[in-house]
Amino acid sequence: MVIALLAARRSAGRVGAVVGRNIGAMRSGPSYLLVLLSGLAEPLLYLLSIGVGVGALIGTMELDDGSRVPYAVFVAPAMLAVSAMSGALAETTFNFFHKMKYARLYDAVLATPVGPFELVLGELTWAMIRGALYSGIFLAVMVALGLVPAPGAAAAFPAALLVGLAFGGFGAAISTYLRGWEDFDLVSTGQFALFLFSGTFVPVRDYPAVLEVVVRLTPLYHAVELLRGLALWRLEWGLLASLAYLVVMALGGLWLASRRLARFMFP
Amino acid sequence: MPAKTLCEIVVAVGYGRGVVGEQPLIYAEGLVKRFGDFVAVDGIDFQVRAGEAFGFLGPNGAGKSSTMRMIGCVSRPSGGVLRILGMDPVRQGAQIRARLGVCPQLDTLDQDLTVRENLITYARFFGIPRREARRRADALLEFVRLADRAGGKVEPLSGGMKRRLSIARALVNEPDIVLLDEPTTGLDPQARHLVWERLFQLKRQGTTLVLTTHYMDEAEQLCDRLVVMDGGRIVAEGSPRSLIETYCPAEVLELRFADGTPGEYADKLAGVGERLDPLPDRLLVYTDDGDEALAEVHRRGLIPSATLVRRATLEDVFLHLTGRTLVE
């Protein structure tokens, strides 16, 4: 028991050291910080252009429970989900892949007592910190624009972190399968398809039946459902299913990524 | 096991270091590494004792790096026994790695961090507290003569500086064993000498060094003991001096001829020296007396376009053992 606790503490220290490496990288120059901030800009621009701009043309949207909300209120939680997704994916696909294959950073890290699981967990934790920053600022903008009540924002924040964790784990696992930079086109295409068709701009029930079934299997749909339900405070049982989906995705991604990394790094 | 103890006594006396019966820091027996059908390391035995500088010498593809990666606990042995610091690398990898310093063949420095941050961050991976990490980083930057570059980025450093930074990084956890995979490959002569000098100082401080190299002079300068590897096997073992004495006469006479192949001249020089080795560009005559051998060449009426009498080196040992030159 004592040994297990000591081991856990030592392991937590190693995870922390991996996070600390990224904080060091951020502090060492403006370039990485700029990359971090630019990740926030995209969903904010969509929120303003489509949510507020297009929203003025559309007026209100009918929710599943029959009530009507302004279009910007409908779109904003989805943009929050997208922001959490892209923040996590940027860190765990592009950066993870670069560090693993080109910068050979993980060769150096794994020559120390830090193991593959601790390394992936540390990178995910960092992606979470980055995601928390994005989600926090995004929610603050939503509150300032009157798009979400404060309690809804408070409930949506931890859920947004879970969304980041789920996509982060998934992204790290994907990175281990990528062959080269050309494969990133596939990743960004997939990401864009999710962005467009996950009930982000249009309710999924308006899709053709086949497409609706497909969409209900994809991760961003569940992220949008969960965040929209919490932000608009429409609590239904379905949210639990989305919650479970994201938890399984986070754990599965973490497990697969560390396993694959171990195999790649320790042939 | 009495046989083993006797062997250790012989070794301890022979090399004048270590306590009789002391466990080797690294012990390998029948060690194998396979990648699919390809056998990179084909059943090798070796031991590394505390305080010695041990070398793996061999051409590219001999299995040196694969062996180093197994010692570094980042590659699983496919067969045989490997014990490092008395531990099993498969089950106790993290514990072993905590006590190793690794300087890889290709620099794996962190381009996003400053020179000093590289060391501090690396120390954190070993659980070294930040304050202590800073102290060690500053001391190590002094040691490898990079203190004036501490606040700068890694990228503009020269190859030799990067290698020295990698060596400093390998020392940040005050390791029991430092693994150096081709520490001076790709460096210019001046940079090489500075790296050697630092490694020599480490050796004097009693740090156990395990290095791979395909440079003869490096092995002769740094290694107390080495194994020569070829095709995944160990083909010879000993101190640089003893290897040369075992496998080669004291001197080598190198002959170049303006016309004809060295092979043709080998026939004409049969009986000169102890052994003749025709290479594509020159003829080597192994002999205890190079000047006398040269006189004999002249007596036979042959006029080489260039001659050189030199001491036998590890290169000659390798050539003798494998029939090939080392760096091709």
Side-chain angles (χ1 to χ4, degrees):
Chain A
M1 182 65 188
V2 176
I3 293 169
L5 277 177
L6 282 177
R9 214 180 103 189
R10 201 166 43 223
S11 196
R14 289 174 194 157
V15 173
V18 175
V19 176
R21 182 265 153 203
N22 291 313
I23 295 173
M26 185 184 70
R27 289 189 348 189
S28 75
S31 54
Y32 188 44
L33 195 62
L34 278 179
V35 170
L36 288 186
L37 291 180
S38 71
L40 186 64
E42 196 172 300
L44 265 181
L45 292 177
Y46 274 111
L47 174 66
L48 296 177
S49 68
I50 295 181
V52 179
V54 179
L57 301 174
I58 294 175
T60 58
M61 283 296 281
E62 191 182 312
L63 296 180
D64 287 343
D65 65 0
S67 59
R68 298 193 76 86
V69 294
Y71 186 65
V73 171
F74 175 80
V75 167
M79 291 304 108
L80 175 63
V82 168
S83 148
M85 170 182 80
S86 37
L89 282 183
E91 198 61 56
T92 57
T93 58
F94 201 81
N95 287 355
F96 190 89
F97 184 77
H98 173 72
K99 289 178 195 171
M100 177 172 71
K101 282 219 172 145
Y102 291 91
R104 309 185 69 87
L105 265 185
Y106 296 160
D107 287 281
V109 176
L110 294 173
T112 73
V114 177
F117 183 78
E118 291 156 340
L119 175 58
V120 173
L121 197 56
E123 293 291 27
L124 263 185
T125 306
W126 169 245
M128 279 306 84
I129 293 171
R130 181 174 171 174
L133 179 80
Y134 286 5
S135 301
I137 294 175
F138 199 88
L139 278 164
V141 172
M142 280 168 69
V143 171
L145 294 177
L147 299 175
V148 62
F157 182 68
L161 293 190
L162 174 64
V163 170
L165 193 61
F167 277 98
F170 182 63
I174 287 180
S175 299
T176 62
Y177 287 96
L178 299 178
R179 292 156 299 179
W181 294 115
E182 61 276 10
D183 285 347
F184 277 91
D185 286 342
L186 289 175
V187 173
S188 53
T189 305
Q191 205 176 327
F192 196 63
L194 288 181
F195 169 65
L196 290 178
F197 296 104
S198 294
T200 33
F201 299 107
V202 184
V204 175
R205 63 185 139 82
D206 293 352
Y207 292 161
V210 178
L211 192 58
E212 188 183 333
V213 171
V214 173
V215 168
R216 282 183 196 280
L217 293 175
T218 59
L220 186 61
Y221 164 77
H222 291 281
V224 171
E225 281 295 291
L226 182 65
L227 292 184
R228 189 175 279 151
L230 290 173
L232 303 184
W233 210 248
R234 302 285 200 286
L235 304 181
E236 300 157 18
W237 289 112
L239 295 189
L240 285 179
S242 294
L243 184 70
Y245 183 104
L246 294 170
V247 169
V248 168
M249 182 172 159
L251 294 178
L254 177 60
W255 174 79
L256 185 61
S258 54
R259 210 180 116 94
R260 292 268 312 167
L261 184 71
R263 197 170 297 174
F264 177 74
M265 301 300 302
F266 297 161
Chain B
M1 277 189 292
K4 190 175 161 192
T5 313
L6 179 65
C7 170
E8 278 169 358
I9 292 168
V10 170
V11 165
V13 171
Y15 297 100
R17 47 174 83 243
V19 182
V20 174
E22 190 186 321
Q23 286 294 311
L25 293 190
I26 305 174
Y27 175 85
E29 195 184 319
L31 185 61
V32 175
K33 182 67 194 182
R34 269 184 236 102
F35 298 100
D37 289 338
F38 175 67
V39 182
V41 178
D42 194 4
I44 61 172
D45 305 337
F46 63 90
Q47 298 183 18
V48 180
R49 281 170 292 278
E52 76 177 336
F54 185 89
F56 290 95
L57 181 75
N60 294 328
K64 307 185 302 283
S65 292
S66 295
T67 305
M68 286 295 255
R69 287 178 56 80
M70 287 192 278
I71 298 172
C73 306
V74 292
S75 174
R76 267 172 178 282
S78 314
V81 178
L82 181 62
R83 289 286 173 277
I84 300 148
L85 300 162
M87 292 184 274
D88 174 3
V90 176
R91 286 186 301 110
Q92 294 161 292
Q95 278 161 271
I96 297 170
R97 290 197 301 269
R99 292 167 61 186
L100 298 181
V102 179
C103 179
Q105 190 176 341
L106 297 168
D107 293 316
T108 58
L109 298 165
D110 196 328
Q111 307 282 345
D112 293 331
L113 302 177
T114 64
V115 168
R116 185 167 179 262
E117 274 288 333
N118 255 282
L119 299 184
I120 296 171
T121 304
Y122 211 67
R124 301 286 296 142
F125 294 138
F126 290 91
I128 296 163
R130 190 161 273 278
R131 175 200 284 265
E132 172 65 11
R134 286 199 203 101
R135 190 193 66 75
R136 288 192 194 180
D138 293 335
L140 285 169
L141 287 177
E142 286 291 337
F143 176 69
V144 297
R145 299 189 191 161
L146 285 172
D148 55 329
R149 306 300 289 259
K153 289 269 182 177
V154 170
E155 205 271 319
L157 298 183
S158 70
M161 289 173 170
K162 284 181 184 165
R163 196 59 52 86
R164 268 144 54 204
L165 182 56
S166 292
I167 290 170
R169 195 181 66 175
L171 298 173
V172 84
N173 58 325
E174 296 178 347
D176 293 326
I177 307 171
V178 180
L179 305 179
L180 301 136
D181 199 355
E182 300 193 7
T184 65
T185 298
L187 301 186
D188 62 52
Q190 213 176 351
R192 287 179 78 194
H193 279 282
L194 191 48
V195 168
W196 281 350
E197 190 213 316
R198 297 292 89 178
L199 293 179
F200 207 78
Q201 191 152 344
L202 279 180
K203 201 176 122 175
R204 268 215 310 262
Q205 291 165 9
T207 310
T208 305
L209 303 179
V210 178
L211 59 110
T212 71
T213 182
H214 54 225
Y215 294 125
M216 303 301 112
D217 46 352
E218 186 156 286
E220 290 189 61
Q221 289 238 5
L222 290 174
C223 298
D224 299 314
R225 213 155 56 83
L226 56 92
V227 292
V228 180
M229 286 188 78
D230 187 43
R233 295 172 186 274
I234 291 176
V235 291
E237 177 175 2
S239 70
R241 207 62 252 159
S242 74
L243 280 172
I244 294 166
E245 280 162 11
T246 309
Y247 293 100
C248 285
E251 295 191 333
V252 180
L253 168 64
E254 293 198 12
L255 300 171
R256 287 170 196 269
F257 295 94
D259 52 357
T261 64
E264 295 166 17
Y265 288 95
D267 296 336
K268 295 176 188 166
L269 288 173
V272 178
E274 289 188 20
R275 196 169 72 238
L276 294 167
D277 224 332
L279 299 183
D281 60 334
R282 61 197 192 275
L283 179 64
L284 303 187
V285 183
Y286 294 93
T287 171
D288 286 321
D289 188 341
D291 292 326
E292 168 51 32
L294 182 56
E296 176 62 23
V297 171
H298 288 304
R299 275 199 290 275
R300 294 193 186 190
L302 300 174
I303 314 293
S305 61
T307 64
L308 171 69
V309 176
R310 58 170 174 81
R311 274 164 31 111
T313 67
L314 279 176
E315 172 91 40
D316 302 307
V317 173
F318 187 81
L319 189 64
H320 174 61
L321 289 171
T322 69
R324 289 178 289 116
T325 52
L326 200 51
V327 185
E328 288 177 326

